[in-house]
Structure formats: C-alpha cells, structure tokens
Amino acid sequence: MSVHVLYSDVFYLHRPLPGAYHPENPSRLDVAISAIKRVYMPQRIIVNSRINYSIDYLHYIAKVHDASYIELINSLCSTGNTYIDSDTYISRDTCRVVEVAVAASIKSIEIALSQSDTLVFALVRPPGHHAGRYGRAMGAPTQGFCIYNNIAAAALYAVDRGYAPIAIMDIDVHHGNGTQEVFWYEPTVIHIDIHQYGIYPGTGSIDAIGGGEARGTKINIPLPPYSRDDDYLYVINEVLTPVMEAVKPRAIAVSAGFDAYRGDGLSEMELTQKFYGFYGMLLRALSKKIGIGVAAVLEGGYSVGLRDGIPSFINGFLSDFKKYEEELKAISPSRKTVEIAMKIKNVLKPFMSIS
Ligand SMILES: [Zn+2]
C-alpha cells in the first residue's frame, strides 16, 4: 500500500496578472505540498517532483480539445498577461504549465494502471475539469480558471490502453462541466459528479445523463448549499457505490477538488476532515476491488480545504479500508439529500440495475 505524489516546479509559473489577486495562484501548490508533509505515515508516501513523461502524452491535448481552441491558447500565451475570460488568466508561461499538467495527470494514471493498492495523486495547477472541447463548456459563463482538461486526457489515455470503462469520480464542489461535455457521447467513460447546485457553472442537473449510446453514463449528484459530511456519505452509499457495482469500471480517476471543505472560500458546503478521510478509505476499497491503483488529479481547493482536506484524504487511503463501511452506519443526511438520492436512482433505473 502506498501513495505517490507527483508535482512539478513548472506549476508555479502560471501566475495571475501583476498586482491582481486571484484565488487560483501558485501559493496553492505550497499549501498542498506542506499538507502532504503532515500525513501521519510519511514512509508510505513517494514524492516525485520530476515528472518523466513521453512526448506522446501531449497528443492527448488534441484528443480532448479542438485544434482551434489549442491555437487560441497558444496565441494568448505568446501575448501573456491576459485573460481568456473574466475568471481565467493566461500568463507568458501558461502553455508550458498546462502541458506539464496534462502530462502529470496522464503519468498518474499510467502509474496507477501498473500497480495495485496505490493512490497516485497529481498536484497539478491550474485545474482542468471546467475546460470543454472548445474552452467554455455547456453554456458556462467562463472556464472557471481551467485551460486544458487534465482528467479527460488521463481518462482517454487509460481507455486507449484498454481500461474501459473508466470511472471519473468528481468531488470538486463545482460541477465538472468540461469533463461531462467532452465525454457526453462516450459510453466508456462513466462520470459521477457530486457538486453544489445553484453556483458556477450552473450545470449538472439530475436529468443530465449523457447522450446517444452514452445515456446513463453521466451521473450528476447536485446537493444543496450547507450539505455536510453525512449528506455526502449518504449519496456515496446510496448512489455512487451501487453505480460502481453495476458498471464495474476497470480503472478509476478522481477529480480531486477540496473546495467543498467548510470555509474554503468559494462555496457554502460544510465538509470536514471526516468526509475526506472517508473518501480516501473508499478509494482504497475501490482500488482493492479493481486490482490496480487509483489516480487522483487536483482540481479546486483554495485554502483550508487543501491544508486539512489533503492530509485526511491520504491518511484515509493509508488506513484500514474496511473501516469505511463502519463510517456509514450512523449517518444522518438531510431530508433533501434523501430525496435527491431517490430521484437519481429513478433516473438511472432504465440504464442499470441499482438497488
Ligand atoms: Zn471547484
């Protein structure tokens, strides 16, 4: 059992415009790296800040995004110090940064595919799950700090290696609209997204289930503001776990956002260390079940969520995976959460047998 952490000093080079404050800034990486040092079993952590990757990985950018969009990003990078929209900046080195972020994300799944009982966590920035094929996805007002979709590239790589279906589990507080758009018609990618409804990007409703052959493979779990650990644990037990049992993914990639943590800054969710510890344990159990490692790619998380959520997440993975079932015994979700879980199960019934 081990945890690999991948990051690169290159990730510091994507910087907000001079003098402008932005929550998605290089100090996030410092917070995340110090959080890793607070894990209670440091001997189980392998930290690698030099990412050796094949140049072939970069071809995945063109598999996820349209050529016209990649061209636009390249031209904005050569200008530097600019915005692609009101939320999302591009600095002179951004193109190099986002390429290494995609490479690190693919590397994380490559390691995960070759090992058992392992969590491979890529601490990348900027995040990626709001970036769609052409940038803004599904009618969102902006790209929400994202340039290239890291998790989508990693998932496609796994599918190309024969690991299908793959499940992308997104716990960032915002809906992963970019990922959902990229795979909307792709039945080999199961996308399960728990998020706060009513905030950016405004998508992710229960009845958005994918298109064509992929209907029923996109699963949205929108929860109300002020949802707590027990609400998340409840929907995991009632929806996510039965879905995973029904679809039997061969690989798992996690869009690991920590911005649903209480007080993190960009949402009203109230998660604590309990949830992130539980989630780590859950991933360990899933990793055992599929017989290979699990890849996690950093999405959001802007303050306390990174500081306290990351150690709990890793400690959870390193602890006794059987405990996660015990955590589910005495939970008290809100009435609204129970209703939402029931609605989702009804929507999914025609596509899979879930109890
Ligand atoms: Zn987010």
Side-chain angles (χ1 to χ4, degrees):
M1 170 233 313
S2 63
V3 174
H4 292 241
V5 175
L6 304 177
Y7 72 93
S8 167
D9 285 346
V10 171
F11 299 150
Y12 286 103
L13 302 175
H14 175 62
R15 294 171 181 279
L17 270 61
Y21 172 75
H22 196 288
E24 205 295 290
N25 62 64
S27 73
R28 294 180 64 232
L29 196 56
D30 288 330
V31 177
I33 292 166
S34 2
I36 299 286
K37 292 180 183 147
R38 291 172 46 226
V39 169
Y40 74 87
M41 280 199 277
Q43 71 277 15
R44 297 271 186 199
I45 315 274
I46 302 156
V47 179
N48 190 345
S49 62
R50 284 180 205 284
I51 300 157
N52 294 319
Y53 61 89
S54 154
I55 200 76
D56 291 345
Y57 288 7
L58 300 182
H59 298 151
Y60 280 85
I61 296 171
K63 292 188 181 195
V64 172
H65 298 287
D66 191 77
S68 62
Y69 174 68
I70 298 169
E71 213 172 284
L72 170 69
I73 295 301
N74 285 334
S75 79
L76 291 172
C77 286
S78 60
T79 312
N81 283 348
T82 186
Y83 289 94
I84 190 161
D85 58 46
S86 57
D87 273 348
T88 314
Y89 62 84
I90 292 190
S91 56
R92 191 162 283 280
D93 292 310
T94 292
C95 281
R96 191 171 152 217
V97 177
V98 292
E99 285 180 5
V100 179
V102 165
S105 305
I106 294 176
K107 188 78 185 178
S108 71
I109 197 121
E110 189 199 31
I111 297 171
L113 297 179
S114 68
Q115 311 235 347
S116 60
D117 208 3
T118 300
L119 171 67
V120 192
F121 191 6
L123 296 181
V124 303
R125 64 173 292 272
H129 71 152
H130 298 307
R133 189 155 177 76
Y134 299 89
R136 281 191 301 125
M138 303 181 102
T142 70
Q143 295 182 199
F145 322 157
C146 301
I147 309 291
Y148 291 152
N149 195 315
N150 304 309
I151 199 87
L156 276 179
Y157 177 84
V159 169
D160 282 355
R161 295 270 308 269
Y163 288 83
I166 183 170
I168 298 177
M169 293 162 46
D170 189 326
I171 51 162
D172 187 279
V173 79
H174 304 98
H175 178 234
N177 57 325
T179 311
Q180 197 148 99
E181 183 215 72
V182 168
F183 296 121
W184 187 253
Y185 294 104
E186 182 47 68
T188 60
V189 180
I190 318 297
H191 180 228
I192 309 169
D193 196 304
I194 311 178
H195 51 272
Q196 178 177 335
Y197 66 66
I199 58 171
Y200 173 90
T203 46
S205 64
I206 290 171
D207 52 4
I209 55 169
E213 293 285 294
R215 275 166 60 78
T217 63
K218 311 297 169 263
I219 295 133
N220 287 310
I221 308 178
L223 294 178
Y226 310 108
S227 293
R228 304 158 76 104
D229 296 324
D230 281 8
D231 298 299
Y232 272 65
L233 265 54
Y234 184 79
V235 294
I236 284 171
N237 196 38
E238 287 291 312
V239 180
L240 185 138
T241 301
V243 164
M244 296 296 258
E245 272 159 19
V247 301
K248 295 187 176 39
R250 294 209 47 221
I252 293 171
V254 177
S255 260
F258 293 84
D259 45 5
Y261 202 100
R262 179 189 290 156
D264 189 68
L266 296 187
S267 81
E268 285 78 42
M269 291 312 214
E270 303 214 323
L271 297 186
T272 70
Q273 295 185 349
K274 177 182 172 183
F275 167 74
Y276 291 97
F278 169 85
Y279 201 76
M281 282 190 271
L282 172 75
L283 291 186
R284 178 101 190 279
L286 290 170
S287 175
K288 289 248 176 197
K289 200 167 267 182
I290 61 176
I292 56 169
V294 169
V297 174
L298 183 63
E299 300 286 358
Y302 300 94
S303 58
V304 65
L306 295 174
R307 191 193 69 193
D308 294 345
I310 288 178
S312 308
F313 175 59
I314 293 178
N315 286 338
F317 190 88
L318 293 173
S319 59
D320 180 358
F321 76 97
K322 284 184 186 139
K323 277 194 203 149
Y324 94 98
E325 284 173 354
E326 281 167 34
E327 293 268 3
L328 293 167
K329 282 182 186 155
I331 55 171
S332 51
S334 71
R335 192 173 49 82
K336 187 85 191 154
T337 298
V338 174
E339 280 170 18
I340 289 166
M342 205 181 293
K343 273 188 198 160
I344 298 169
K345 281 162 67 167
N346 279 333
V347 166
L348 293 178
K349 259 186 195 143
F351 307 100
M352 62 184 81
S353 119
I354 49 170
S355 51

